[in-house]
Amino acid sequence: MILGIGSDLIDIRRIEKSLERHGERFTHRLFTEVERARAEGRAHRAATYAKRFAAKEACAKALGTGIRGGVFWRDMGVANLRSGQPTMVLTHGALDRLNSMIPPGHQARIHLTITDDYPLAQAFVIIEAVAEVEGQA
C-alpha cells in the first residue's frame, strides 16, 4: 500500500547561486557526507546537488511533514544501491516519522527517481508499506 507520494522540481541555477554564495556552509547544512562526496566528484556538481535537494523535498512531502516537525535536511539522504539505483536513507526525525506511518506487520520501501535536464532537476518519491514475510525481520 502507498503511504506517501512526493515530487519536486528545482532550477539548478538556484543551487549554483547557493554554492557560489555560501559554499561549504550550504552543503554541510543540507547534505549528508555521502551526498557531498558524490557531488564533489562530479563535473556538474550543482546538478548533482540539485537532484538531491529535489529528492529531499519530495521525500519530506511523501512523509507528510515538509521540512518541519522534527524532519531536517540531513535526516534524508540519497544513496545508491549497488545497481546504481537511487534510494533514500532516513535517520533521526525523518526515520521516526516514517516508522509512525508504517502499519503493524509491514515494512517501508522508499522508491526514488531523480533526473535533470539543465536548468531543471526533478525527483519523485513513493513510500510504500509491504507486508513482512513471516520468519523475516
Side-chain angles (χ1 to χ4, degrees), residues 1-129:
M1 88 183 63
I2 302 224
L3 301 177
I5 299 173
S7 69
D8 193 62
L9 180 68
I10 186 166
D11 190 322
I12 296 168
R13 295 170 295 196
R14 179 176 161 206
I15 298 299
E16 288 172 337
K17 288 177 185 171
S18 293
L19 288 168
E20 289 170 11
R21 190 174 303 131
H22 305 291
E24 281 188 0
R25 198 171 94 215
F26 171 72
T27 59
H28 282 71
R29 181 173 168 248
L30 272 69
F31 300 98
T32 66
E33 187 175 329
V34 169
E35 291 173 311
R36 290 191 311 266
R38 186 165 186 99
E40 293 301 326
R42 298 287 173 115
H44 302 287
R45 74 183 191 123
T48 302
Y49 278 123
K51 287 185 283 191
R52 279 146 183 77
F53 184 92
K56 291 168 185 284
E57 285 277 10
C59 186
K61 291 172 185 174
L63 289 170
T65 60
I67 308 296
R68 58 180 162 67
V71 175
F72 299 101
W73 292 106
R74 285 183 297 171
D75 292 351
M76 301 169 287
V78 177
N80 293 83
L81 303 176
R82 273 195 168 165
S83 65
Q85 176 185 353
T87 189
M88 297 298 298
V89 175
L90 305 185
T91 59
H92 307 294
L95 182 58
D96 292 342
R97 172 61 183 156
L98 176 65
N99 288 334
S100 76
M101 297 168 65
I102 304 169
H106 289 74
Q107 60 185 350
R109 286 200 187 134
I110 301 176
H111 304 277
L112 167 65
T113 184
I114 52 179
T115 190
D116 68 285
D117 187 7
Y118 195 86
L120 300 174
Q122 184 175 37
F124 289 96
V125 171
I126 298 173
I127 300 174
E128 174 186 27

